[in-house]
């Protein structure tokens, strides 16, 4: 196997372990696994166009952001009272945004590329990157939900990115027994665990932008009004926030947080993959489409999540219902569980044979479906569009700004 993309050391931006074109031996692969390198991009004849979805500059910006997350969380967990370096965090976020703007075809979330050597760091980085990817596609929604601001300010995502980076910072301030109970039970009604939003907010409120602090405080508010923390309104009534009362940045972060927590239940300090194993992305997305989760999240934001974090990302290898293996080569936005795939033939030992035997299948044509992904059987996790067609994101944006006459 030959690398199609360079491999960098997790949390050390710029430290290249292997360059593009390196040949992989079994001993090298084992060593990369020990260094927590989660995935590799391998050259395969006929699939060179997949490289448009990844970009070394984008990956470098992800690495830098993950490093900032790791340093800040380490400081919080050791009880450091040092001031948060907001400028550094904002610069890391803006670097990601700049690289994504320069490389729009790379605006698809590949969770294994954002993985870290610890679940808590991985979760915080994933939620930040997902939030930014969604924010870039939600500019029309930001303009509506932040209508009092000038257009440029309404679409400024720096507060979203910094807030998402440290949305769970308060988890580092929880007692060990509370964290252990959360990692064991994942009981969202636990009042001790719920206190992490207040603890995180108190830690950051004087150090970061107010919009970022709002993300930390309100990322567990629910769209149906069943979230927390409770707020006191002008009449003195105490209740949680609901709908557009919740800051749009907090709603975006909430969707990213829920997806990553369902996909990777090991997400808190002290959690382990052995204790809380991951599930396939398609299963997590299907759960988010169903009650109670569907009532908890902004439906517009969830539509965009499906666009940036498809159930079967480009480059992933899946098992088909006819027993063959295939690589996902393009996304079907209207029908995300039926992407276009190319058959991967392990029996074709030479490049020439592989090119001769390559076969692309549009799964939306029916007959064949995805049966296995991420090491799991997923036939029962597939979901499909309803018979009533929904507008695409462009149509949705137009509808929001041009509502029908009464």
């Amino acid at each position: 196997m030959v690398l199609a993309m360079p491999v960098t050391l997790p949390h050390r931006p710029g430290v290249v372990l292997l360059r593009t074109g390196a040949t992989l031996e079994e001993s090298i692969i084992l060593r990369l696994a020990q260094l927590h390198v989660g995935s590799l991009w391998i050259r395969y004849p006929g699939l060179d166009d997949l490289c448009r979805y990844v970009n070394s500059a984008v990956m470098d910006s992800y690495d830098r952001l993950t490093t900032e997350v790791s340093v800040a969380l380490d400081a919080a967990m050791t009880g450091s009272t040092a001031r948060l370096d907001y400028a550094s965090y904002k610069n890391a976020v803006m670097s990601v945004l700049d690289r994504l703007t320069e490389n729009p075809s790379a605006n698809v979330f590949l969770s294994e590329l954002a993985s870290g050597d610890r679940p808590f760091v991985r979760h915080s980085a994933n939620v930040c990157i997902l939030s930014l990817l969604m924010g870039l596609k939600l500019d029309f929604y930001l303009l509506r939900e932040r209508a009092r601001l000038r257009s440029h300010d309404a679409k400024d995502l720096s507060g979203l990115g910094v807030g998402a980076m440290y949305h769970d910072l308060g988890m580092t301030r929880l007692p060990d027994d509370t964290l252990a109970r959360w990692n064991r039970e994942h009981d969202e009604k636990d009042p001790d665990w719920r206190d992490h939003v207040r603890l995180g907010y108190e830690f950051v409120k004087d150090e970061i932008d107010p919009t970022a602090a709002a993300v930390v405080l309100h990322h567990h508010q629910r769209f149906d009004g069943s979230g927390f923390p409770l707020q006191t309104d002008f009449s003195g009534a105490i209740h949680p926030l609901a709908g557009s009362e919740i800051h749009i940045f907090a709603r975006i972060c909430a969707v990213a947080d829920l997806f990553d927590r369902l996909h990777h239940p090991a997400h808190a300090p002290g959690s382990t993959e052995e204790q809380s194993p991951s599930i396939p992305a398609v299963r997590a997305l299907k759960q988010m489409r169903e009650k109670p989760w569907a009532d908890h999240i902004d439906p517009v934001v969830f539509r965009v999540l499906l666009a940036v974090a498809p159930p079967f990302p480009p480059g992933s290898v899946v098992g088909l219902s006819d027993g063959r293996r295939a690589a996902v080569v393009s996304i079907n936005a209207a029908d995300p569980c039926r992407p276009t795939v190319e058959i991967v033939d392990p029996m074709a030992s030479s490049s020439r044979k592989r090119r001769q035997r390559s076969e692309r299948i549009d799964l939306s044509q029916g007959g064949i479906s995805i049966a296995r992904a991420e090491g799991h059987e997923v036939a029962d996790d597939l979901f499909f569009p309803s018979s009533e067609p929904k507008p695409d994101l462009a149509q949705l944006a137009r509808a929001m700004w041009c509502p029908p006459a009464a």
Side-chain angles (χ1 to χ4, degrees):
M1 294 187 293
V2 177
L3 279 178
M5 288 287 293
V7 179
T8 58
L9 184 64
H11 308 314
R12 294 289 302 278
V15 178
V16 177
L17 298 176
L18 294 171
R19 298 188 181 280
T20 300
T23 300
L24 295 174
E25 306 290 345
E26 183 177 0
S27 59
I28 294 176
I29 295 174
L30 291 174
R31 181 54 180 155
L32 291 175
Q34 293 171 353
L35 293 172
H36 303 284
V37 176
S39 65
L40 303 169
W41 281 77
I42 307 300
R43 287 179 179 169
Y44 191 92
L47 297 181
D48 294 339
D49 55 335
L50 280 175
C51 286
R52 71 183 184 275
Y53 291 108
V54 293
N55 178 278
S56 59
V58 172
M59 295 300 104
D60 287 346
S61 68
Y62 285 176
D63 284 344
R64 178 186 171 193
L65 184 145
T66 306
T67 299
E68 294 287 356
V69 171
S70 181
V71 170
L73 295 180
D74 282 344
M77 284 188 280
T78 57
S80 172
T81 58
R83 293 177 61 87
L84 295 175
D85 189 355
Y86 175 66
S88 181
Y89 306 153
K90 183 175 180 178
N91 287 339
V93 168
M94 296 308 296
S95 177
V96 171
L97 290 171
D98 289 344
R99 300 294 84 73
L100 289 172
T101 302
E102 294 166 359
N103 302 278
S105 61
N107 289 9
V108 178
F109 184 68
L110 305 170
S111 59
E112 62 270 22
L113 295 179
S115 63
D117 58 352
R118 289 171 293 167
F120 189 37
V121 172
R122 175 189 65 191
H123 173 67
S124 298
N126 282 352
V127 170
C128 179
I129 294 168
L130 266 174
S131 295
L132 293 174
L133 288 170
M134 287 189 288
L136 286 170
K137 287 187 176 293
L138 281 166
D139 55 353
F140 66 93
Y141 202 34
L142 295 173
L143 290 171
R144 194 187 82 164
E145 297 298 287
R146 310 184 77 191
R148 295 182 180 180
L149 300 177
R150 293 178 300 177
S151 175
H152 175 76
D153 294 331
K155 294 189 289 184
D156 179 3
L157 299 178
S158 57
L160 169 63
V162 173
M165 285 173 75
Y166 301 113
H167 72 287
D168 270 350
L169 192 68
M171 298 277 271
T172 67
R173 323 303 285 179
L174 293 176
D176 290 343
D177 61 333
T178 299
L179 276 175
R181 187 167 63 250
W182 168 254
N183 288 330
R184 185 173 60 251
E185 301 173 4
H186 291 156
D187 179 10
E188 293 196 5
K189 296 180 180 179
D190 184 340
D192 295 330
W193 171 77
R194 286 189 169 196
D195 199 38
H196 80 272
V197 297
R198 180 190 64 82
L199 293 171
Y201 176 72
E202 292 295 329
F203 192 87
V204 305
K205 65 178 182 179
D206 297 325
E207 307 289 342
I208 63 177
D209 185 87
T211 59
V215 172
V216 176
L217 182 63
H218 293 303
H219 68 277
H220 282 290
Q221 299 287 1
R222 294 172 177 170
F223 204 68
D224 63 358
S226 63
F228 63 92
L230 300 179
Q231 305 293 304
T232 303
D233 63 22
F234 291 113
S235 68
I238 300 175
H239 57 80
L241 302 178
S244 291
E245 294 176 328
I246 309 165
H247 195 286
I248 180 59
F249 286 175
R251 279 180 269 157
I252 294 171
C253 182
V255 171
D257 174 58
L258 178 59
F259 169 68
D260 199 67
R261 285 194 291 125
L262 292 175
H263 188 16
H264 302 296
H267 66 276
S271 60
T272 66
E273 186 73 18
E274 291 73 25
Q275 181 184 25
S276 302
S278 297
I279 65 172
V282 64
R283 188 172 302 165
L285 291 169
K286 185 178 183 182
Q287 290 178 14
M288 294 178 73
R289 287 167 49 91
E290 300 169 348
K291 291 182 180 293
W293 304 119
D295 295 333
H296 294 175
I297 56 179
D298 186 326
V300 175
V301 179
F302 179 64
R303 288 279 302 280
V304 175
L305 175 70
L306 289 171
V308 304
F312 306 107
S316 57
V317 177
V318 297
L320 302 180
S321 55
D322 63 3
R324 291 184 292 176
R325 297 174 73 228
V328 177
V329 294
S330 66
I331 304 166
N332 183 345
D335 196 352
C337 286
R338 295 185 177 116
T340 296
V341 301
E342 180 163 323
I343 300 301
V344 177
D345 186 355
M347 301 305 293
S349 57
S350 70
S351 297
R352 181 178 180 183
K353 288 181 179 179
R354 288 172 179 170
R355 283 192 291 269
Q356 289 174 342
R357 298 187 185 188
S358 64
E359 177 186 357
R360 291 200 172 186
I361 304 173
D362 180 354
L363 297 181
S364 67
Q365 300 305 307
I368 300 175
S369 60
I370 294 175
R372 188 172 180 81
E374 300 181 54
H376 293 258
E377 300 298 326
V378 297
D380 294 334
D381 299 311
L382 304 180
F383 54 88
F384 306 105
S386 62
S387 56
E388 180 181 347
K390 290 186 178 180
D392 60 23
L393 290 179
Q395 293 172 322
L396 186 62
R398 289 193 294 270
M400 283 191 170
W401 285 107
C402 303

